Amino acid sequence: MFYYSTRNKNNAVNFATAALTGLAPDGGLFIPQEIPLYPENVKSSLGTMNFCDITFETIKPYVHTDISSSALYDIISSSFTFNAPLIEVLDRYAIELFHGPTAAFKDFGARFMARAFSYLRRGEDKPLRILVATSGDTGGAVADGFFDVPGIFVTVLYPKGRVSPLQERQIAGLGKNISAIAVEGSFDDCQRLVKAALADEELKKRMALSSANSINISRLIPQAVYYSASAGRAFAGRIDPDGDATPRVVKEQITINKKHPHLPITLCVPSGNFGNLTAGLYAMKMGAPIKRFIAATNINKTFPDYLDSGEYLARISQATLSNAMDVGAPSNFERMSAHFSLEEMRRIISGVYVEDKETKETISRIHEKSGYFLDPHSAVGWKGIDKLREQNKIGSEEPAGVLCTAHPAKFAETVEPLAGMPPIPESLSRAMDRSVNAVTIPAEISALLDEIS
């Protein structure tokens, strides 16, 4: 499998180069030369295979020239000590992506990336500096995934005052090989600074650089796994029980959801930088039984507007309750548009946006009806399904699921006044005891270079 830039198909590289470089030399994003298909025996078994086996079959065709099968399975086994339960909540499925160590979906990609980097750089003496921009959950997951990995130093940039107190402790509370920079600006500013640093020729001469955002292909590919696993289980009519971190108050449960065996599922993805949705598109193209996607954003609705008008207009992001989705210029749009035309995207993706008042109402309503807690991002996804059902774009009997991207306890300051205090996973309790250690810089590339040079 080779990879080329979204801006130039002539210069193909292998997986190791694409992963360790992060950003293509011309500023584009690396994409695979093709999206491979699952073998028929794998495709027909997605509903019954265990999570690590699905992970192996999903990732293998993308990396097989650079990572041996035995090494890949070792990487997967140590990365994914958790999975993504598919549970029923009222009239739909919830795909819980917050059972990892930082209680957010970013754990899947970040942990695989850290272990893959360690393998790909075996025998390398020169340290690697990883730069990552975060609007919330990416930074904590990357910090945790790479913590204490020999030969790799991580610098996380986050928008000052725009992440939750818990997120900030996860980003800036570990120390050792993890450093944190609070940028006086938005996530878009953080992302712009990372891209500028990665493209700085003088800096690249002095140090080995890479990125751990979803602009890095090695973080995006593992995220396709939970789409295939959850869609496969829904197709087979197999539902998981609540897990240890499932944020549901024990009440008398009246589920009105019907089993939908042998029907492909519609999945609603709370979307910001669109790496998660791009991974879902890869899973669909590989053969996972997915009917279509809903891209649910907050008021930073660049992509829903694009589907409506056909014109992509990046904009300055606005702060919302679902802060990890506060992105006005989603990087992975460049990948999506390299793989799919506008008309193809319109056929398989519906766009919808949700305002903060709707997010709050959804958190309150779903907890009152079911005892289930939603975080602000998952609530955007839940409301996205509601809106399309109201518009008769999804039938009431069609299987639909929302990707629950973060544990509600990470956003207790928003959730508690609306639904009470959600149960707190042990990993989050430990993180809250950390102290924040970050430097603050203006949103200027010279300030970033001064800090990392």
Side-chain angles (χ1 to χ4, degrees):
M1 175 72 76
F2 288 99
Y3 296 80
Y4 57 83
S5 170
T6 49
R7 302 178 188 180
N8 184 354
K9 294 185 178 182
N10 295 321
N11 296 323
V13 300
N14 61 11
F15 173 77
T17 301
L20 294 173
T21 304
L23 196 67
D26 59 7
L29 307 186
F30 284 113
I31 57 175
Q33 64 185 113
E34 62 180 357
I35 299 175
L37 297 176
Y38 284 121
E40 281 302 319
N41 65 317
V42 172
K43 182 179 174 180
S44 63
S45 302
L46 290 173
T48 55
M49 294 171 66
N50 71 46
F51 194 80
C52 280
D53 287 343
I54 294 175
T55 303
F56 179 80
E57 295 293 344
T58 301
I59 297 176
K60 179 176 65 174
Y62 293 99
V63 305
H64 68 93
T65 57
D66 298 271
I67 303 177
S68 68
S69 291
S70 59
L72 177 60
Y73 211 91
D74 288 344
I75 290 169
I76 288 167
S77 298
S78 63
S79 299
F80 301 121
T81 54
F82 52 93
N83 60 10
L86 176 80
I87 69 168
E88 289 180 313
V89 181
L90 297 176
D91 65 342
R92 66 201 62 173
Y93 300 103
I95 297 95
E96 294 186 339
L97 304 180
F98 46 68
H99 288 258
T102 71
F105 79 99
K106 307 293 178 72
D107 284 325
F108 290 92
R111 287 173 66 83
F112 176 84
M113 170 188 275
R115 286 149 183 81
F117 272 30
S118 182
Y119 175 84
L120 294 171
R121 301 189 79 250
R122 63 197 185 283
E124 176 64 61
D125 293 329
K126 188 176 183 181
L128 175 67
R129 168 77 65 174
I130 291 178
L131 301 176
V132 58
T134 185
S135 54
D137 288 332
T138 291
V142 170
D144 181 87
F146 281 93
F147 181 64
D148 240 2
V149 174
I152 299 180
F153 297 87
V154 176
T155 300
V156 183
L157 284 71
Y158 65 97
K160 185 177 179 64
R162 293 200 188 184
V163 300
S164 74
L166 174 57
Q167 286 174 323
E168 189 168 34
R169 284 166 172 79
Q170 290 180 315
I171 293 165
L174 286 172
K176 288 194 175 182
N177 62 322
I178 310 297
S179 60
I181 297 177
V183 176
E184 293 175 326
S186 67
F187 167 75
D188 295 315
D189 291 315
C190 298
Q191 187 163 253
R192 173 178 53 81
L193 294 180
V194 166
K195 286 185 174 182
L198 292 173
D200 189 284
E201 294 299 329
E202 289 301 316
L203 186 64
K204 288 191 288 186
K205 290 177 183 177
R206 296 197 299 272
M207 63 179 69
L209 288 172
S210 188
S211 171
N213 282 91
S214 57
I215 60 176
N216 192 305
I217 193 68
S218 69
R219 215 198 82 191
L220 187 146
I221 289 170
Q223 293 179 229
V225 174
Y226 48 73
Y227 285 95
S228 294
S230 57
R233 291 185 70 77
F235 190 79
R238 298 167 62 92
I239 311 301
D240 295 308
D242 287 4
D244 290 341
T246 295
R248 178 154 34 196
V249 175
V250 178
K251 293 182 178 180
E252 180 182 358
Q253 293 296 317
I254 302 174
T255 178
I256 61 173
N257 195 35
K258 304 292 193 299
K259 301 296 189 298
H260 302 91
H262 313 307
L263 288 177
I265 192 170
T266 293
L267 292 174
C268 186
V269 187
S271 300
N273 211 24
F274 279 78
N276 201 7
L277 181 57
T278 304
L281 292 168
Y282 281 23
M284 173 191 253
K285 294 289 284 185
M286 291 183 75
I290 300 168
K291 181 178 181 179
R292 62 183 293 105
F293 293 97
I294 302 167
T297 74
N298 53 33
I299 58 172
N300 296 284
K301 56 189 182 76
T302 301
F303 185 75
D305 284 352
Y306 165 73
L307 291 180
D308 286 342
S309 69
E311 185 176 8
Y312 177 79
L313 296 173
R315 61 202 69 178
I316 297 172
S317 63
Q318 301 179 61
T320 73
L321 295 174
S322 48
N323 67 300
M325 296 156 56
D326 292 348
V327 183
S331 283
N332 280 283
F333 176 79
E334 188 166 338
R335 269 199 184 101
M336 293 167 66
S337 57
H339 286 297
F340 304 96
S341 68
L342 170 61
E343 289 309 312
E344 288 172 325
M345 281 194 256
R346 283 172 168 166
R347 281 197 297 271
I348 57 177
I349 309 171
S350 297
V352 63
Y353 76 96
V354 175
E355 298 180 357
D356 275 355
K357 63 181 180 181
E358 295 173 305
T359 301
K360 290 181 178 180
E361 182 276 331
T362 302
I363 293 171
S364 296
R365 172 170 52 89
I366 299 312
H367 183 264
E368 177 63 27
K369 285 187 173 183
S370 70
Y372 192 81
F373 290 91
L374 294 168
D375 87 286
H377 309 78
S378 306
V380 169
W382 190 287
K383 185 64 176 179
I385 293 176
D386 289 344
K387 286 190 167 187
L388 291 193
R389 280 185 168 163
E390 290 165 5
Q391 298 168 16
N392 295 318
K393 293 182 178 178
I394 302 177
S396 60
E397 294 302 312
E398 283 187 58
V402 57
L403 274 72
C404 295
T405 53
H407 197 283
K410 296 192 77 168
F411 301 91
E413 66 279 2
T414 297
V415 175
E416 185 175 9
L418 300 169
M421 186 63 195
I424 303 175
E426 183 181 347
S427 61
L428 297 188
S429 296
R430 291 195 301 268
M432 283 304 295
D433 292 334
R434 300 174 187 164
S435 299
V436 172
N437 183 16
V439 298
T440 300
I441 65 168
E444 298 171 1
I445 184 59
S446 59
L448 174 59
L449 295 180
D450 286 344
E451 285 298 327
I452 64 177
S453 295

